[in-house]
Amino acid sequence: MKLIAGFEGGAVYTENRDGKFMLIINESALFDMLCEEDRVGMEPMTEMEFPSEKSRSEYIKSRGWA
């Protein structure tokens, strides 16, 4: 995994896994700080799969992480 962005409460990583272009958003530090009521519907880790490295890069740029 390669760290591409860090922020209070989490980080964003890229990873190439079995020919797939992954984006991993880890918000577990933020998740741990929230009360149970605020955690409803939130996941501490999100993995997104992209069909190409280019599409993943475009998404990263659109979020301001590049």
Side-chain angles (χ1 to χ4, degrees):
M1 284 196 302
K2 179 183 173 188
L3 176 67
I4 61 162
F7 50 87
E8 187 175 346
V12 180
Y13 302 90
T14 58
E15 181 178 37
N16 295 343
R17 186 186 310 155
D18 299 323
K20 298 174 184 172
F21 301 94
M22 307 298 295
L23 183 70
I24 298 108
I25 304 169
N26 180 340
E27 296 178 297
S28 57
L30 172 63
F31 189 82
D32 289 343
M33 292 188 288
L34 298 174
C35 68
E36 192 162 331
E37 180 180 292
D38 291 336
R39 291 179 181 183
V40 174
M42 182 182 175
E43 293 294 327
M45 292 279 283
T46 303
E47 290 190 357
M48 301 171 70
E49 183 180 324
F50 293 84
S52 68
E53 189 170 9
K54 181 181 178 186
S55 63
R56 180 180 67 190
S57 293
E58 289 171 354
Y59 180 80
I60 290 168
K61 287 178 188 174
S62 76
R63 296 297 306 259
W65 294 328

